Amino acid sequence: MTLATRLPCDDTALNREAQEVSCGAAQKRWVLAASILGSSLAFVDGTVVNVALPAIQQALAASVYQAQWVVESYSLLLAALLLVGGSLGDRLGRRRVFLIGVGIFATASVACVISQTVQQLIAARAIQGLGAALLVPGSLALISVAFPKDERGGAFGTWAAFSGVTAALGPLLGGYLIDRFSWAWAFAVNVPLALVVLAITWYHVPESRRPGKPERLDAAGALLATMGLGGIVFAFIEAPSRGWHALAVLAALGVGVVSLLAFVYAEHVQQSPMLPLQLLRNRNFAGANLLTLLLYGALGGGLFFLPLNLIQVQGLSATGAGAALLPFILIMFLLSRWAGGLVDRQGARRPLMVGPLVAAAGFALLIVPGTSASNWTGFLPGITVLGLGMAIAVAPLTTTVMNSVEPEAAGTASGVNSAVSRVAGLLAIAVFGWLMASVFEPRLQQAMTAAGLPADVVNAVWAQRDKLAAIALPPGATPAARGAVQEAFVAGYRWIMAASAMLALASALVAATFLDRGRPPVTSGEKRAESSG
């Protein structure tokens, strides 16, 4: 029996190269299944909640800014603590931290289901974000440890494809349950999936961790990152209603900026930082994460407002809105494994240039629909092209990040990239919310004046302007009042799609500028494996 067959699939072993090949085919499939289903918890949650937002607004009498906090409280904790989750996995055991994250996520999902006010829901969503921060980086790190480098492109492609399938089923099932029963089902669907993930991981996934004594947790870094992101997000979300000159907004913005600067300094002097700044000297790693920031900012910001348009302006049900997004997910499923294989054969630079360019074209097509657009001719072309662009980009992007670091830093690298993608969506939703309000309010005034609406209707509508397209019209209001609201929303929505297209174009430029041509260079771990072979 060889050393490779005796060793468990555990990178605590001194011989890292033997460990890389010790996972058999069956065990790799179980690791892949756990990683896919675990990641899907976070993906399904994000897509279903976007579809559920109109129902949440109505049931809990929430403003659009409170609805933003339903999304942002989750994203804030997730983005701020992903780095902690990734480094904890490397230090304490990736399987252990992954299991804890899934358990917290499932428990918080139950708390979301029983929430009676929007404030309770926001708090429960924050706890969900904590659980997701532990499970998301672990899901990618488990794959990176179990599969050798020349198999990771295909593995990450499979992960992206099947994660997309579950993300597609989530909005369809969730939308149907929301229409038939309640918005709470958007969170209830997480619980059975979490139980399956816990069972698979407990019985079939091996433990792995970074060799040596566990290092101290970077608590100061985690606190500063949370304060920094929280302050900036609070300022952008609350500024449209409070005004940029409000003391609370200015104070939050100041705290956010100062905290992020302090975070960078703390990571520089910290002996065991959760964000090792030396990673940013790696051109491929830095470029891939900058690309992630821009591309996922476009996607997160754009897909926050698209379901609001489909449901509140175009009149689709929650199920219909979920179905409208199905082509996006279906294309991701069909093409992601192929796109991941491109990296193994020719490198990531070309697909990471082409994919964002195609995604930018998709966002540009989504600018076209007006207030009475057909789903087939108005939204389907843009959603389809956007799905094609993201399918070309996602698996190569993930593979580039994970292949650019040594295997023992897999959890940290996964945490950094996952954090960047979440920060991108977090900031984009906040900034795009401000952009929407900046366009919506003056256009609403113009549209109501042009329609000649009575003063009482104008006052009633204007008092609810923070609800955007969810404004409840007073009794006796004419269709012209609804038309004014919808026209104003679509005007802001078009600016958001244009901004998303520009971000996607910028990400293609980053790929062309930063990423290596051809296949990525071999890390020292692989060089040692080749020489020993």
Side-chain angles (χ1 to χ4, degrees), residues 295 298-299 328 353-369 377-390 392 493-494 496-508:
L295 186 59
L299 188 69
F328 176 95
M353 291 170 57
V354 173
L357 289 174
V358 176
F363 283 119
L365 287 172
L366 288 171
I367 297 173
V368 176
T377 59
F379 292 94
L380 180 61
I383 291 172
T384 302
V385 174
L386 177 59
L388 176 62
M390 294 304 297
I392 294 172
Y493 161 85
R494 284 173 166 165
I496 286 168
M497 292 300 120
S500 294
M502 294 302 295
L503 288 175
L505 286 174
S507 68

Side-chain angles (χ1 to χ4, degrees), residues 444 447-458 460-461 471-486:
L444 179 61
M448 290 192 296
T449 300
L453 299 180
D456 60 332
V457 174
V458 170
V461 170
I471 288 174
L473 297 178
T478 64
R482 174 56 61 193
V485 172
Q486 293 178 344

Side-chain angles (χ1 to χ4, degrees), residues 330-428:
L330 182 61
I331 292 171
M332 290 278 293
F333 168 69
L334 293 175
L335 297 182
S336 287
R337 183 171 178 81
W338 164 78
L342 288 177
V343 183
D344 296 333
R345 296 189 297 273
Q346 57 183 263
R349 185 172 181 268
R350 187 175 298 173
L352 288 179
M353 291 170 57
V354 173
L357 289 174
V358 176
F363 283 119
L365 287 172
L366 288 171
I367 297 173
V368 176
T371 56
S372 301
S374 163
N375 181 49
W376 294 103
T377 59
F379 292 94
L380 180 61
I383 291 172
T384 302
V385 174
L386 177 59
L388 176 62
M390 294 304 297
I392 294 172
V394 169
L397 181 56
T398 303
T399 307
T400 300
V401 170
M402 301 306 291
N403 280 354
S404 63
V405 301
E406 298 288 353
E408 59 267 22
T412 300
S414 174
V416 170
N417 189 244
S418 298
V420 169
S421 67
R422 295 294 174 167
V423 167
L426 180 75
L427 295 178

